[in-house]
Amino acid sequence: MPTTHRSTATTHTALTHPLAALVGADQHVPLVTGGTVRYANLDIAASAPALQAVADRVAEFLPYYSSVHRGAGYASAVSTAAYETARRSIGAFVGARADDVVQVVRHTTDALNLLASAVPGDVVHLDVEHHANLLPWQGLGDRARAVTARETVALTLAAVEAELARTPAALLAVTGASNVTGEILPLADLVEIAHRHGARIAIDGAQLVPHHRVHLERLGVDYLAFSGHKLYAPYGAGVLVGRRDWLDAAPPYLAGGGAVRSVTVDHTTWAPVPARHEAGTPNVVGAVALAAACEAIAALPDSELRLHEEGLRDRLLGALEALDGVRTLQLWRGEVEAIGVVTFTVDGHSAELVAQYLSAEHGVGVRDGRFCAHPLLARLNDGRTAVRASLGLGSTADDVDRLACGIAELVAHGPAWTYDGEGRPSPDPRPLPAWVTETGAGTACA
Ligand code: PMP
């Protein structure tokens, strides 16, 4: 069994800083066995709840909500200024250089597709990436080159270096923190390797940015992509931050109003970035929310955040690894830094059943599936689905213990309720809120 980094943190309590307060922290959810329980949200890596500070900023902004870059009214002026202020705050949060551009997009997937449309040469990436950092490069055909991740971080870095040395590439694109194992590759080493061989480096920061501070200028990272909904700002915006030149030279990501300098019926002169890639009405609420999250997180003590999360991760790993038939997934052998994401399997029970059981009988929210990382799950679990628990600002020792006790009970006695062939509780007496009419069972990204 590979070992990941274990912290010596002893604090397992919830973060009490007012800026870490989350909307819905005390949400109660129904159980199939009757009654309700406080929701233990251990699915933060998929989508995080809104910070209260974010919801407050959005409420403060909404009375002014109006068109951006388009209106003469006072509310339009406020909206335009709020949008551009948000761009600046987001850039400052990630240490953007003075001449970098902050492109407001929908999410990380959008950001990496935009970068793929602009990269002027070959792209090197690992074979175990999230689909968002795999499929946009696959779309480049033989300009994309996948390096097979090796059994240790050091060997993997050496393999990346060998590939870049073998044939030059324009870009090295890597996931900052794995959404499956939580593992983090050493960014500074990757930057050095890429730059030594004349390549730029792009980091898929979807999972990394909510957990670790990233400073583009200090680290030398050229591009960073991340999503608001994973950074406690679920209002539909994400960003691509980085070097301006490739994006200025690229064809506009979307053709339409707002991205142009001038238009005749048969010819368009496109605007430079960021407008060039932001055609259509911008998501100003999303941008304002994302900037508010960046500001709140920047004001939180970084070391406290890390201790909090490392302590909870160790507690979770320790409890799960003590159970017979429970296996946690890791990619690299040895001490590897990681964010609060733990993926596991339970012998004799499908991942679907384990996740549904935790929700139905314990009010614990986790995710099951292959986490939009099919090649990685093929490697770690023969392509079968697994269960992921993920931690964040609002996570507590109680959340972790409820999950661990739930799994211990499952291993010892099996579920108390009955489940259908797909692992769903049957019957399922839990009511949905009155205004929700469809059950919405789906398998997106399984
Ligand atoms: N990269 C990683 C590592 C992720 O975990 C995710 C989301 N699961 C993405 C990219 C894509 O993020 P989004 O769905 O917000 O585009």
Side-chain angles (χ1 to χ4, degrees), residues 130 179-180 343 367-373 377 386-388 445-446:
H130 185 281
N179 66 313
V180 177
T343 293
R367 162 108 192 258
D368 64 283
R370 285 178 287 164
F371 317 111
C372 299
L377 266 288
V387 183
R388 179 181 73 188
C445 227

Side-chain angles (χ1 to χ4, degrees), residues 140-155:
L140 299 177
D142 57 14
R143 283 171 53 207
R145 292 159 20 209
V147 171
T148 305
R150 306 299 206 270
E151 67 216 276
T152 64
V153 166
L155 289 172

Side-chain angles (χ1 to χ4, degrees), residues 312-387:
L312 291 177
R313 183 176 200 273
D314 286 355
R315 189 180 184 100
L316 178 57
L317 270 175
L320 289 176
E321 286 172 358
L323 295 172
D324 278 344
V326 175
R327 186 171 68 93
T328 57
L329 306 186
Q330 276 123 38
L331 182 52
W332 289 298
R333 277 209 325 250
E335 292 250 313
V336 181
E337 209 182 341
I339 57 161
V341 168
V342 173
T343 293
F344 61 96
T345 58
V346 182
D347 284 355
H349 299 289
S350 71
E352 294 78 359
L353 179 122
V354 175
Q356 291 287 341
Y357 153 85
L358 284 170
S359 169
E361 298 185 35
H362 297 277
V364 175
V366 294
R367 162 108 192 258
D368 64 283
R370 285 178 287 164
F371 317 111
C372 299
H374 291 186
L376 178 55
L377 266 288
R379 169 89 67 96
L380 297 182
N381 200 32
D382 291 330
R384 290 189 307 271
T385 57
V387 183

Side-chain angles (χ1 to χ4, degrees), residues 45 107-110 130 132 175 177-179 204 206-207 227 229-230:
H107 37 48
T108 306
T109 305
D110 211 17
H130 185 281
T175 296
S178 167
N179 66 313
D204 167 353
Q207 297 298 341
S227 302
H229 73 100
K230 294 187 196 284

Side-chain angles (χ1 to χ4, degrees), residues 43-267:
D43 195 16
I44 308 291
S47 282
L51 277 166
Q52 190 59 52
V54 169
D56 291 347
R57 177 70 61 79
V58 167
E60 196 180 336
F61 170 66
L62 281 179
Y64 296 103
Y65 175 78
S66 190
S67 61
V68 170
H69 298 147
R70 287 159 169 79
Y74 182 77
S76 272
V78 172
S79 293
T80 301
Y83 189 65
E84 295 307 328
T85 303
R87 210 193 286 284
R88 183 170 286 276
S89 301
I90 296 164
F93 176 64
V94 296
R97 293 151 289 244
D99 55 350
D100 279 346
V101 64
V102 175
Q103 294 281 174
V104 178
V105 295
R106 288 171 294 183
H107 37 48
T108 306
T109 305
D110 211 17
L112 293 171
N113 275 276
L114 167 58
L115 186 56
S117 74
V119 63
D122 285 11
V123 177
V124 167
H125 58 86
L126 289 176
D127 63 336
V128 289
E129 300 287 347
H130 185 281
H131 296 169
N133 194 39
L134 182 66
L135 308 190
W137 316 127
Q138 248 182 30
L140 299 177
D142 57 14
R143 283 171 53 207
R145 292 159 20 209
V147 171
T148 305
R150 306 299 206 270
E151 67 216 276
T152 64
V153 166
L155 289 172
T156 302
L157 294 187
V160 168
E161 170 133 40
E163 179 59 30
L164 289 170
R166 189 181 65 81
T167 314
L171 185 70
L172 171 64
V174 217
T175 296
S178 167
N179 66 313
V180 177
T181 65
E183 290 161 297
I184 299 175
L185 281 172
L187 284 197
D189 293 351
L190 283 164
V191 169
E192 217 182 293
I193 289 169
H195 289 175
R196 191 158 52 233
H197 296 282
R200 290 185 181 180
I201 180 163
I203 302 298
D204 167 353
Q207 297 298 341
L208 185 67
V209 171
H211 302 276
H212 281 209
R213 302 275 161 82
V214 179
H215 196 286
L216 294 188
E217 185 163 29
R218 262 185 238 136
L219 272 170
V221 167
D222 298 290
Y223 298 96
L224 178 67
F226 58 101
S227 302
H229 73 100
K230 294 187 196 284
L231 195 71
Y232 311 95
Y235 293 82
V239 282
L240 175 66
V241 186
R243 309 269 183 201
R244 187 173 286 266
D245 52 350
W246 288 0
L247 291 159
D248 251 339
Y253 188 53
L254 281 175
V260 301
R261 266 205 175 123
S262 66
V263 179
T264 63
V265 173
D266 47 20
H267 183 74

